[in-house]
Amino acid sequence: MLDDNEIIEIMSEYDLELKNTDPELVEIIDNLVCVDLKDEYMKLSYDERMIVILTTLITNQSINLYEKLLTQALRNGFSPVIVKEMLYQTIVYVGLSKVYEFIDVTNDIFDENGVDVPLPGQSMTTNKTRKNEGYDIQADHYGKDWLDMKIKSTPDNQKQLWDYISAFGFGDIYTRGGISQKQRELVTLAVLISLRGCEDQLEIHMRGNLKVGNDENKIIAVLMILIPYIGFPRIHNALKILNKITI
């Protein structure tokens, strides 16, 4: 397996068909990644880069590119457990309707690469503990005072939403093993950067990233390496939010 710093996702390496049909486009993208953004890629580990890129491909429903990059990533030693945890977590933010097909595709790719499923279980909660443990993770990542204020200020007939967030979003998902809390916040960051109309949630999770140890430079690197996949406008929007909380 190659060392982390020797692996950069280059289109000419994982899309041979496009290299034959659109060689100039492949060269343009490779120049962006290997020349313009190389320093940004090196600020993240290989696992972190693949978490961010594969998550944005799921969010944007880019199945063909996901298949190509996941196949390459597995061959470079990317953990199948991280892949499944990333998929499960993305459901919280974009819904099962957008992730379900990617689960099938992922299982097919695992089979082609000799990965047996189901993978070892990673669940850490029970039906009795999931809500409280999910609440505790939210309080740790985003602040107990802030969380209690948000719950308190929610109309009584809507407060159940916070129970669902605590039990499902955090109790069922964020408590799971196989992936660190720093990596989980990168998954969420990549989803929210890629979506439209989620600026409030993006600000919350940028703060959460900072709280768990993903510093400002790492967040900037995440934003920059997403440019080829989601374009400049969403990156500008995300940088505006990051500057709001750090400057």
Side-chain angles (χ1 to χ4, degrees), residues 172-188:
D172 288 341
I173 302 298
Y174 265 70
T175 62
R176 292 173 59 83
I179 184 170
S180 70
Q181 292 301 310
K182 291 174 70 173
Q183 290 172 320
R184 288 205 178 277
E185 282 295 349
L186 288 179
V187 171
T188 303

mmCIF file with all atom_site columns, all heavy atoms in Angstrom, residues 172-188:
data_model
loop_
_atom_site.group_PDB
_atom_site.id
_atom_site.type_symbol
_atom_site.label_atom_id
_atom_site.label_alt_id
_atom_site.label_comp_id
_atom_site.label_asym_id
_atom_site.label_entity_id
_atom_site.label_seq_id
_atom_site.pdbx_PDB_ins_code
_atom_site.Cartn_x
_atom_site.Cartn_y
_atom_site.Cartn_z
_atom_site.occupancy
_atom_site.B_iso_or_equiv
_atom_site.pdbx_formal_charge
_atom_site.auth_seq_id
_atom_site.auth_comp_id
_atom_site.auth_asym_id
_atom_site.auth_atom_id
_atom_site.pdbx_PDB_model_num
ATOM 1   N N   . ASP A 1 172 ? -27.859 6.618  17.842 1.00 0.00 ? 172 ASP A N   1
ATOM 2   C CA  . ASP A 1 172 ? -27.694 5.462  16.960 1.00 0.00 ? 172 ASP A CA  1
ATOM 3   C C   . ASP A 1 172 ? -26.446 5.555  16.092 1.00 0.00 ? 172 ASP A C   1
ATOM 4   O O   . ASP A 1 172 ? -25.872 4.526  15.717 1.00 0.00 ? 172 ASP A O   1
ATOM 5   C CB  . ASP A 1 172 ? -28.908 5.304  16.040 1.00 0.00 ? 172 ASP A CB  1
ATOM 6   C CG  . ASP A 1 172 ? -30.142 4.809  16.766 1.00 0.00 ? 172 ASP A CG  1
ATOM 7   O OD1 . ASP A 1 172 ? -30.002 4.244  17.869 1.00 0.00 ? 172 ASP A OD1 1
ATOM 8   O OD2 . ASP A 1 172 ? -31.255 4.994  16.225 1.00 0.00 ? 172 ASP A OD2 1
ATOM 9   N N   . ILE A 1 173 ? -26.052 6.772  15.730 1.00 0.00 ? 173 ILE A N   1
ATOM 10  C CA  . ILE A 1 173 ? -24.995 6.936  14.722 1.00 0.00 ? 173 ILE A CA  1
ATOM 11  C C   . ILE A 1 173 ? -23.674 7.410  15.323 1.00 0.00 ? 173 ILE A C   1
ATOM 12  O O   . ILE A 1 173 ? -22.642 6.734  15.212 1.00 0.00 ? 173 ILE A O   1
ATOM 13  C CB  . ILE A 1 173 ? -25.446 7.906  13.615 1.00 0.00 ? 173 ILE A CB  1
ATOM 14  C CG1 . ILE A 1 173 ? -26.733 7.409  12.950 1.00 0.00 ? 173 ILE A CG1 1
ATOM 15  C CG2 . ILE A 1 173 ? -24.333 8.089  12.575 1.00 0.00 ? 173 ILE A CG2 1
ATOM 16  C CD1 . ILE A 1 173 ? -26.617 6.075  12.246 1.00 0.00 ? 173 ILE A CD1 1
ATOM 17  N N   . TYR A 1 174 ? -23.669 8.569  15.978 1.00 0.00 ? 174 TYR A N   1
ATOM 18  C CA  . TYR A 1 174 ? -22.407 9.136  16.454 1.00 0.00 ? 174 TYR A CA  1
ATOM 19  C C   . TYR A 1 174 ? -21.745 8.286  17.536 1.00 0.00 ? 174 TYR A C   1
ATOM 20  O O   . TYR A 1 174 ? -20.533 8.398  17.759 1.00 0.00 ? 174 TYR A O   1
ATOM 21  C CB  . TYR A 1 174 ? -22.634 10.548 16.988 1.00 0.00 ? 174 TYR A CB  1
ATOM 22  C CG  . TYR A 1 174 ? -22.364 11.655 15.987 1.00 0.00 ? 174 TYR A CG  1
ATOM 23  C CD1 . TYR A 1 174 ? -23.191 11.866 14.893 1.00 0.00 ? 174 TYR A CD1 1
ATOM 24  C CD2 . TYR A 1 174 ? -21.278 12.512 16.141 1.00 0.00 ? 174 TYR A CD2 1
ATOM 25  C CE1 . TYR A 1 174 ? -22.968 12.876 13.985 1.00 0.00 ? 174 TYR A CE1 1
ATOM 26  C CE2 . TYR A 1 174 ? -21.038 13.535 15.251 1.00 0.00 ? 174 TYR A CE2 1
ATOM 27  C CZ  . TYR A 1 174 ? -21.884 13.715 14.160 1.00 0.00 ? 174 TYR A CZ  1
ATOM 28  O OH  . TYR A 1 174 ? -21.635 14.725 13.268 1.00 0.00 ? 174 TYR A OH  1
ATOM 29  N N   . THR A 1 175 ? -22.493 7.452  18.231 1.00 0.00 ? 175 THR A N   1
ATOM 30  C CA  . THR A 1 175 ? -21.902 6.606  19.273 1.00 0.00 ? 175 THR A CA  1
ATOM 31  C C   . THR A 1 175 ? -21.218 5.367  18.704 1.00 0.00 ? 175 THR A C   1
ATOM 32  O O   . THR A 1 175 ? -20.517 4.662  19.431 1.00 0.00 ? 175 THR A O   1
ATOM 33  C CB  . THR A 1 175 ? -22.977 6.129  20.265 1.00 0.00 ? 175 THR A CB  1
ATOM 34  O OG1 . THR A 1 175 ? -23.942 5.326  19.572 1.00 0.00 ? 175 THR A OG1 1
ATOM 35  C CG2 . THR A 1 175 ? -23.658 7.294  20.954 1.00 0.00 ? 175 THR A CG2 1
ATOM 36  N N   . ARG A 1 176 ? -21.426 5.073  17.455 1.00 0.00 ? 176 ARG A N   1
ATOM 37  C CA  . ARG A 1 176 ? -20.916 3.834  16.872 1.00 0.00 ? 176 ARG A CA  1
ATOM 38  C C   . ARG A 1 176 ? -19.388 3.823  16.815 1.00 0.00 ? 176 ARG A C   1
ATOM 39  O O   . ARG A 1 176 ? -18.744 4.870  16.782 1.00 0.00 ? 176 ARG A O   1
ATOM 40  C CB  . ARG A 1 176 ? -21.489 3.628  15.462 1.00 0.00 ? 176 ARG A CB  1
ATOM 41  C CG  . ARG A 1 176 ? -22.979 3.336  15.462 1.00 0.00 ? 176 ARG A CG  1
ATOM 42  C CD  . ARG A 1 176 ? -23.537 3.298  14.048 1.00 0.00 ? 176 ARG A CD  1
ATOM 43  N NE  . ARG A 1 176 ? -22.889 2.281  13.240 1.00 0.00 ? 176 ARG A NE  1
ATOM 44  C CZ  . ARG A 1 176 ? -23.237 0.987  13.237 1.00 0.00 ? 176 ARG A CZ  1
ATOM 45  N NH1 . ARG A 1 176 ? -24.229 0.562  14.004 1.00 0.00 ? 176 ARG A NH1 1
ATOM 46  N NH2 . ARG A 1 176 ? -22.604 0.127  12.451 1.00 0.00 ? 176 ARG A NH2 1
ATOM 47  N N   . GLY A 1 177 ? -18.817 2.618  16.817 1.00 0.00 ? 177 GLY A N   1
ATOM 48  C CA  . GLY A 1 177 ? -17.379 2.481  16.684 1.00 0.00 ? 177 GLY A CA  1
ATOM 49  C C   . GLY A 1 177 ? -16.951 2.520  15.228 1.00 0.00 ? 177 GLY A C   1
ATOM 50  O O   . GLY A 1 177 ? -17.734 2.807  14.332 1.00 0.00 ? 177 GLY A O   1
ATOM 51  N N   . GLY A 1 178 ? -15.678 2.219  14.992 1.00 0.00 ? 178 GLY A N   1
ATOM 52  C CA  . GLY A 1 178 ? -15.172 2.118  13.633 1.00 0.00 ? 178 GLY A CA  1
ATOM 53  C C   . GLY A 1 178 ? -14.694 3.407  13.017 1.00 0.00 ? 178 GLY A C   1
ATOM 54  O O   . GLY A 1 178 ? -14.073 3.401  11.948 1.00 0.00 ? 178 GLY A O   1
ATOM 55  N N   . ILE A 1 179 ? -14.982 4.518  13.662 1.00 0.00 ? 179 ILE A N   1
ATOM 56  C CA  . ILE A 1 179 ? -14.637 5.836  13.109 1.00 0.00 ? 179 ILE A CA  1
ATOM 57  C C   . ILE A 1 179 ? -14.610 6.823  14.278 1.00 0.00 ? 179 ILE A C   1
ATOM 58  O O   . ILE A 1 179 ? -15.429 6.733  15.192 1.00 0.00 ? 179 ILE A O   1
ATOM 59  C CB  . ILE A 1 179 ? -15.662 6.256  12.024 1.00 0.00 ? 179 ILE A CB  1
ATOM 60  C CG1 . ILE A 1 179 ? -15.287 7.576  11.360 1.00 0.00 ? 179 ILE A CG1 1
ATOM 61  C CG2 . ILE A 1 179 ? -17.061 6.285  12.573 1.00 0.00 ? 179 ILE A CG2 1
ATOM 62  C CD1 . ILE A 1 179 ? -16.154 7.889  10.133 1.00 0.00 ? 179 ILE A CD1 1
ATOM 63  N N   . SER A 1 180 ? -13.657 7.733  14.274 1.00 0.00 ? 180 SER A N   1
ATOM 64  C CA  . SER A 1 180 ? -13.504 8.669  15.388 1.00 0.00 ? 180 SER A CA  1
ATOM 65  C C   . SER A 1 180 ? -14.511 9.810  15.311 1.00 0.00 ? 180 SER A C   1
ATOM 66  O O   . SER A 1 180 ? -15.119 10.046 14.264 1.00 0.00 ? 180 SER A O   1
ATOM 67  C CB  . SER A 1 180 ? -12.084 9.242  15.389 1.00 0.00 ? 180 SER A CB  1
ATOM 68  O OG  . SER A 1 180 ? -11.909 10.124 14.287 1.00 0.00 ? 180 SER A OG  1
ATOM 69  N N   . GLN A 1 181 ? -14.661 10.538 16.423 1.00 0.00 ? 181 GLN A N   1
ATOM 70  C CA  . GLN A 1 181 ? -15.545 11.699 16.418 1.00 0.00 ? 181 GLN A CA  1
ATOM 71  C C   . GLN A 1 181 ? -15.019 12.792 15.489 1.00 0.00 ? 181 GLN A C   1
ATOM 72  O O   . GLN A 1 181 ? -15.804 13.501 14.849 1.00 0.00 ? 181 GLN A O   1
ATOM 73  C CB  . GLN A 1 181 ? -15.718 12.248 17.848 1.00 0.00 ? 181 GLN A CB  1
ATOM 74  C CG  . GLN A 1 181 ? -16.483 11.322 18.775 1.00 0.00 ? 181 GLN A CG  1
ATOM 75  C CD  . GLN A 1 181 ? -17.879 11.016 18.277 1.00 0.00 ? 181 GLN A CD  1
ATOM 76  O OE1 . GLN A 1 181 ? -18.638 11.916 17.935 1.00 0.00 ? 181 GLN A OE1 1
ATOM 77  N NE2 . GLN A 1 181 ? -18.237 9.732  18.226 1.00 0.00 ? 181 GLN A NE2 1
ATOM 78  N N   . LYS A 1 182 ? -13.705 12.922 15.375 1.00 0.00 ? 182 LYS A N   1
ATOM 79  C CA  . LYS A 1 182 ? -13.141 13.885 14.422 1.00 0.00 ? 182 LYS A CA  1
ATOM 80  C C   . LYS A 1 182 ? -13.524 13.516 12.996 1.00 0.00 ? 182 LYS A C   1
ATOM 81  O O   . LYS A 1 182 ? -13.883 14.386 12.190 1.00 0.00 ? 182 LYS A O   1
ATOM 82  C CB  . LYS A 1 182 ? -11.616 13.939 14.566 1.00 0.00 ? 182 LYS A CB  1
ATOM 83  C CG  . LYS A 1 182 ? -11.143 14.549 15.872 1.00 0.00 ? 182 LYS A CG  1
ATOM 84  C CD  . LYS A 1 182 ? -9.640  14.449 16.014 1.00 0.00 ? 182 LYS A CD  1
ATOM 85  C CE  . LYS A 1 182 ? -8.913  15.358 15.066 1.00 0.00 ? 182 LYS A CE  1
ATOM 86  N NZ  . LYS A 1 182 ? -7.442  15.385 15.320 1.00 0.00 ? 182 LYS A NZ  1
ATOM 87  N N   . GLN A 1 183 ? -13.475 12.231 12.683 1.00 0.00 ? 183 GLN A N   1
ATOM 88  C CA  . GLN A 1 183 ? -13.866 11.790 11.344 1.00 0.00 ? 183 GLN A CA  1
ATOM 89  C C   . GLN A 1 183 ? -15.369 11.957 11.126 1.00 0.00 ? 183 GLN A C   1
ATOM 90  O O   . GLN A 1 183 ? -15.801 12.334 10.034 1.00 0.00 ? 183 GLN A O   1
ATOM 91  C CB  . GLN A 1 183 ? -13.453 10.340 11.140 1.00 0.00 ? 183 GLN A CB  1
ATOM 92  C CG  . GLN A 1 183 ? -11.948 10.137 11.037 1.00 0.00 ? 183 GLN A CG  1
ATOM 93  C CD  . GLN A 1 183 ? -11.556 8.673  11.041 1.00 0.00 ? 183 GLN A CD  1
ATOM 94  O OE1 . GLN A 1 183 ? -12.127 7.865  11.780 1.00 0.00 ? 183 GLN A OE1 1
ATOM 95  N NE2 . GLN A 1 183 ? -10.578 8.312  10.232 1.00 0.00 ? 183 GLN A NE2 1
ATOM 96  N N   . ARG A 1 184 ? -16.160 11.700 12.161 1.00 0.00 ? 184 ARG A N   1
ATOM 97  C CA  . ARG A 1 184 ? -17.611 11.868 12.021 1.00 0.00 ? 184 ARG A CA  1
ATOM 98  C C   . ARG A 1 184 ? -17.969 13.324 11.728 1.00 0.00 ? 184 ARG A C   1
ATOM 99  O O   . ARG A 1 184 ? -18.842 13.602 10.898 1.00 0.00 ? 184 ARG A O   1
ATOM 100 C CB  . ARG A 1 184 ? -18.337 11.382 13.284 1.00 0.00 ? 184 ARG A CB  1
ATOM 101 C CG  . ARG A 1 184 ? -18.339 9.885  13.420 1.00 0.00 ? 184 ARG A CG  1
ATOM 102 C CD  . ARG A 1 184 ? -19.495 9.375  14.254 1.00 0.00 ? 184 ARG A CD  1
ATOM 103 N NE  . ARG A 1 184 ? -19.460 7.915  14.316 1.00 0.00 ? 184 ARG A NE  1
ATOM 104 C CZ  . ARG A 1 184 ? -19.944 7.102  13.394 1.00 0.00 ? 184 ARG A CZ  1
ATOM 105 N NH1 . ARG A 1 184 ? -20.495 7.624  12.300 1.00 0.00 ? 184 ARG A NH1 1
ATOM 106 N NH2 . ARG A 1 184 ? -19.881 5.796  13.531 1.00 0.00 ? 184 ARG A NH2 1
ATOM 107 N N   . GLU A 1 185 ? -17.305 14.255 12.394 1.00 0.00 ? 185 GLU A N   1
ATOM 108 C CA  . GLU A 1 185 ? -17.611 15.651 12.120 1.00 0.00 ? 185 GLU A CA  1
ATOM 109 C C   . GLU A 1 185 ? -17.172 16.048 10.712 1.00 0.00 ? 185 GLU A C   1
ATOM 110 O O   . GLU A 1 185 ? -17.778 16.918 10.091 1.00 0.00 ? 185 GLU A O   1
ATOM 111 C CB  . GLU A 1 185 ? -16.968 16.561 13.167 1.00 0.00 ? 185 GLU A CB  1
ATOM 112 C CG  . GLU A 1 185 ? -17.716 16.606 14.496 1.00 0.00 ? 185 GLU A CG  1
ATOM 113 C CD  . GLU A 1 185 ? -19.111 17.228 14.396 1.00 0.00 ? 185 GLU A CD  1
ATOM 114 O OE1 . GLU A 1 185 ? -19.451 17.823 13.358 1.00 0.00 ? 185 GLU A OE1 1
ATOM 115 O OE2 . GLU A 1 185 ? -19.870 17.112 15.387 1.00 0.00 ? 185 GLU A OE2 1
ATOM 116 N N   . LEU A 1 186 ? -16.135 15.394 10.174 1.00 0.00 ? 186 LEU A N   1
ATOM 117 C CA  . LEU A 1 186 ? -15.751 15.655 8.777  1.00 0.00 ? 186 LEU A CA  1
ATOM 118 C C   . LEU A 1 186 ? -16.811 15.146 7.815  1.00 0.00 ? 186 LEU A C   1
ATOM 119 O O   . LEU A 1 186 ? -17.086 15.779 6.795  1.00 0.00 ? 186 LEU A O   1
ATOM 120 C CB  . LEU A 1 186 ? -14.395 15.009 8.467  1.00 0.00 ? 186 LEU A CB  1
ATOM 121 C CG  . LEU A 1 186 ? -13.165 15.653 9.087  1.00 0.00 ? 186 LEU A CG  1
ATOM 122 C CD1 . LEU A 1 186 ? -11.913 14.873 8.689  1.00 0.00 ? 186 LEU A CD1 1
ATOM 123 C CD2 . LEU A 1 186 ? -13.015 17.113 8.675  1.00 0.00 ? 186 LEU A CD2 1
ATOM 124 N N   . VAL A 1 187 ? -17.403 13.987 8.120  1.00 0.00 ? 187 VAL A N   1
ATOM 125 C CA  . VAL A 1 187 ? -18.503 13.483 7.294  1.00 0.00 ? 187 VAL A CA  1
ATOM 126 C C   . VAL A 1 187 ? -19.628 14.510 7.249  1.00 0.00 ? 187 VAL A C   1
ATOM 127 O O   . VAL A 1 187 ? -20.120 14.895 6.174  1.00 0.00 ? 187 VAL A O   1
ATOM 128 C CB  . VAL A 1 187 ? -19.044 12.135 7.833  1.00 0.00 ? 187 VAL A CB  1
ATOM 129 C CG1 . VAL A 1 187 ? -20.326 11.746 7.099  1.00 0.00 ? 187 VAL A CG1 1
ATOM 130 C CG2 . VAL A 1 187 ? -17.996 11.037 7.701  1.00 0.00 ? 187 VAL A CG2 1
ATOM 131 N N   . THR A 1 188 ? -20.047 14.969 8.424  1.00 0.00 ? 188 THR A N   1
ATOM 132 C CA  . THR A 1 188 ? -21.143 15.932 8.494  1.00 0.00 ? 188 THR A CA  1
ATOM 133 C C   . THR A 1 188 ? -20.779 17.238 7.805  1.00 0.00 ? 188 THR A C   1
ATOM 134 O O   . THR A 1 188 ? -21.600 17.830 7.088  1.00 0.00 ? 188 THR A O   1
ATOM 135 C CB  . THR A 1 188 ? -21.527 16.194 9.958  1.00 0.00 ? 188 THR A CB  1
ATOM 136 O OG1 . THR A 1 188 ? -21.880 14.950 10.572 1.00 0.00 ? 188 THR A OG1 1
ATOM 137 C CG2 . THR A 1 188 ? -22.695 17.157 10.059 1.00 0.00 ? 188 THR A CG2 1
#
